[in-house]
Amino acid sequence: AARRVVVLERARLLADLDDKAGAIALLEAQAVADDIDLGARLQLAAWYLADRRILDAALAFESAARIPGLPPMGFGPPAREAASLLAALGDLERAGPLADMACAAGVTDLEVLSVAEAWHRAHENWTAVDELLGKELFHVKDPRREAHLWMERASVRRDRLGDEQGAKKALQGVLE
C-alpha cells in the first residue's frame, strides 16, 4: 500500500514537472505490476481523458471497475465511466455489462441506464429492459419524455413479455 502512494505521488510530481509521458509510463507500469491498484488506474484514466485518449481512458476505468473485492462505491463509478465511454465509441457489447455493474452498485444516471437498456434490448432480455425503463423514469423531468418511457414500457410488457395487465398499468402511468 505504501508503494502505491509513493508511485502515485511520483507520477503526479512528474506530471507537474511537465513530464506527462513519464508520469503515464510510470503509472502504466504500476498498473501492470499491481493488478489491484485502484488509484493508479483512476489517475491514468483521468490523464488519458485530458489527452483525449478515449479508448485508453475507457480501458483504464474498466480495469479499475474489475478489481476484485472492491465495495460497490469502489467499482460502481469507474464501471459507469467505462460504460459511457465505450458506448460512445460504439462498443455496446463491452459497455453493457459495465453499465449493469454500475447499476448494481447503485450508480444510476440516465446515461448509464440507457447504455444498460440498449445492451439488454440487443440481447432481448425484456424483463431487464422493462426494469431499466422504470429506473429511467426517476431521472426524467420532461413530461413528454416521461410519457414516452411509460408507453415504451407498455409496449415491452405487451409485445415482448406477454403481460397485458402490466401493459395496462404502464399506460395508466402515462395518464398520471
Side-chain angles (χ1 to χ4, degrees):
R3 174 174 164 65
R4 291 179 188 151
V5 173
V6 170
V7 170
L8 189 56
E9 286 305 313
R10 184 171 171 218
R12 287 182 178 145
L13 181 60
L14 285 170
D16 289 344
L17 296 172
D18 289 329
D19 185 6
K20 191 85 162 274
I24 288 174
L26 179 64
L27 286 184
E28 287 173 339
Q30 173 64 15
V32 169
D34 184 348
D35 59 352
I36 60 170
D37 189 342
L38 179 63
R41 284 163 175 75
L42 294 178
Q43 186 62 64
L44 274 170
W47 284 342
Y48 289 150
L49 275 177
D51 290 343
R52 293 186 174 92
R53 294 172 57 183
I54 306 303
L55 179 58
D56 289 330
L59 297 177
F61 279 126
E62 179 183 26
S63 179
R66 296 194 185 280
I67 293 174
L70 287 179
M73 287 317 295
F75 70 79
R80 183 246 177 259
E81 294 302 319
S84 175
L85 293 171
L86 288 166
L89 293 170
D91 192 349
L92 186 59
E93 282 307 306
R94 198 162 187 166
L98 289 159
D100 266 357
M101 283 177 66
C103 291
V107 180
T108 57
D109 58 37
L110 198 51
E111 187 171 347
V112 76
L113 289 168
S114 295
V115 172
E117 178 205 333
W119 184 69
H120 282 289
R121 192 177 290 275
H123 289 272
E124 299 185 0
N125 183 350
W126 301 110
T127 301
V129 170
D130 181 45
E131 291 171 10
L132 290 161
L133 287 167
K135 289 179 181 181
E136 287 180 36
L137 286 164
F138 290 104
H139 299 282
V140 174
K141 304 297 183 234
D142 177 27
R144 288 178 295 183
R145 176 72 178 131
E146 187 176 342
H148 173 77
L149 287 171
W150 278 114
M151 289 186 293
E152 181 65 22
R153 282 189 92 182
S155 175
V156 165
R157 287 175 177 180
R158 185 193 69 222
D159 299 340
R160 303 299 182 163
L161 297 174
D163 181 4
E164 289 292 329
Q165 195 62 28
K168 289 177 184 176
K169 186 176 178 183
L171 286 176
Q172 289 173 348
V174 173
L175 302 173
E176 292 175 0

